[in-house]
Amino acid sequence: MSTTPRPSTTRRAALGTGLLVGALVVAGCGAGGEASSAEPAASGSAGGGAPAGDREITVVATDTPAYSGPLEIAAETLEADGWTVDITYVTDIVQPNNAVSTGEFDFNFFQHGAYLQTFNRDNGTDVVPLFYAVGSPAGVYSVTHDSIEDLPDGARIALPVDPANNGRALHLLAGAGLLELAEGAQVVSTSQEDITDNPRGFEFVEVDQQTLTQTLPDVDAGFLFIRQAIEMELDPNEDALLFEDDLDAIPYRIVFGGAPDAVGSEKTEALREAFQSDEVRAFYTDFYGDWAPLPWDEDPQEQVADWWTEG
């Protein structure tokens, strides 16, 4: 089996300086994070518009085990099938969509559908969800209180500041009868402005999503993505005060993003088939547990219209 060298630590360090100014300009989406960039790919190498015979797949992905683990498994399968795979890992959540939108990379792998749509809206990009990787229900956790009923009046609760995730904990709290939200408030666009009644006087602390784990010990409760809870050795089934159902969290399923012309392309189908494999399934079961939702028989292109309604 032929192999392609993965980006080295030195290369990844270099990625952190190239487009710093651009990252600061687009950071208005509220995502925050450390700026990164990548060296431009050759013209015509992005998305489904690659020239005939192009057997290279380029991916920019987030540098955490929950993403790099399954992606490396898929890369080995692709390389065994004759593809060249170039993966660049970054730590921010701003540049990967810009890099795909400008044609620097074929695909990105770091985000859920709701964040993707919010980013497109706020930054004028046109990246589309190509296929699902894994469901990503999240929850509200605490290291000081054992149940949601134990939260005191005036409890400080940490929320991610980015608009796509800001309302998830608010909807969980509203579903538990602890808040009231404006009628018709959509989870992907809800913010504190949609709170119509806060009888317990909860105080919400908004932080960058990358710092939620560091913030949790300093507040009464906080929102965590499932991978963050697992990294903190918290059990979603036992330790979450409130937890989303996967069907309620369809906009928050993790997707592979690409250019519009990548939908149904040879590269996309090759990557999808390699990723949605028994080996990757085993990785997710080992990493998340038996409950890990893998909606591989569903198509985000058919569901994307239900994620977002303007207004």
Side-chain angles (χ1 to χ4, degrees):
M1 179 181 73
S2 64
T3 59
T4 300
R6 297 288 178 262
S8 67
T9 302
T10 302
R11 184 183 177 199
R12 279 185 278 163
L15 298 180
T17 59
L19 293 180
L20 177 58
V21 175
L24 293 175
V25 171
V26 299
C29 70
E34 194 173 74
S36 299
S37 66
E39 298 172 0
S43 175
S45 66
D54 180 3
R55 300 286 290 178
E56 180 182 23
I57 290 176
T58 59
V59 186
V60 55
T62 194
D63 192 12
T64 67
Y67 291 81
S68 61
L71 188 54
E72 294 288 345
I73 293 171
E76 290 182 4
T77 299
L78 287 164
E79 290 166 347
D81 289 339
W83 291 88
T84 298
V85 183
D86 182 6
I87 303 171
T88 298
Y89 293 107
V90 297
T91 57
D92 79 286
I93 58 172
V94 174
Q95 286 304 306
N97 279 327
N98 290 331
V100 167
S101 184
T102 59
E104 296 176 58
F105 288 86
D106 298 321
F107 308 102
N108 61 38
F109 177 43
F110 77 105
Q111 67 191 327
H112 54 56
Y115 177 78
L116 170 55
Q117 284 206 323
T118 302
F119 191 96
N120 282 337
R121 180 200 64 182
D122 293 346
N123 296 282
T125 48
D126 189 17
V127 180
V128 301
L130 299 171
F131 58 88
Y132 289 123
V134 63
S136 186
V140 174
Y141 294 80
S142 175
V143 295
T144 56
H145 303 290
D146 294 328
S147 70
I148 196 67
E149 292 79 12
D150 291 341
L151 291 182
D153 291 348
R156 299 175 72 241
I157 302 174
L159 307 177
V161 69
D162 59 287
N165 291 294
N166 189 257
R168 297 174 75 177
L170 299 180
H171 274 264
L172 284 170
L173 291 166
L178 300 176
L179 286 179
E180 290 186 11
L181 299 174
E183 185 176 355
Q186 303 169 66
V187 66
V188 298
S189 56
T190 294
S191 70
Q192 291 188 61
E193 295 180 358
D194 295 296
I195 298 174
T196 58
D197 191 20
N198 181 8
R200 303 282 300 278
F202 294 148
E203 177 187 351
F204 297 103
V205 182
E206 296 186 350
V207 301
D208 185 278
Q209 62 169 257
Q210 305 288 55
T211 66
L212 287 165
T213 54
Q214 294 97 309
T215 303
L216 188 62
D218 299 323
V219 294
D220 292 286
F223 176 92
L224 292 178
F225 299 103
I226 186 64
R227 67 170 177 83
Q228 292 174 319
I230 290 172
E231 288 167 0
M232 293 188 70
E233 298 184 351
L234 296 171
D235 186 329
N237 293 317
E238 298 181 4
D239 297 325
L241 307 185
L242 298 168
F243 196 70
E244 295 171 331
D245 292 328
D246 179 51
L247 291 179
D248 293 331
I250 287 178
Y252 300 103
R253 291 172 174 172
I254 304 302
V255 298
F256 275 80
D261 63 355
V263 176
S265 72
E266 181 184 8
K267 284 187 179 184
T268 298
E269 290 308 300
L271 179 58
R272 182 191 61 78
E273 183 176 350
F275 193 90
Q276 295 178 349
S277 66
D278 290 341
E279 292 80 7
V280 171
R281 182 185 298 274
F283 170 89
Y284 279 127
T285 299
D286 181 63
F287 190 88
Y288 287 122
D290 292 338
W291 65 269
L294 298 176
W296 292 348
D297 59 346
E298 298 179 46
D299 183 357
Q301 287 291 304
E302 296 177 355
Q303 298 173 326
V304 68
D306 298 328
W307 295 352
W308 186 276
T309 303
E310 291 287 357

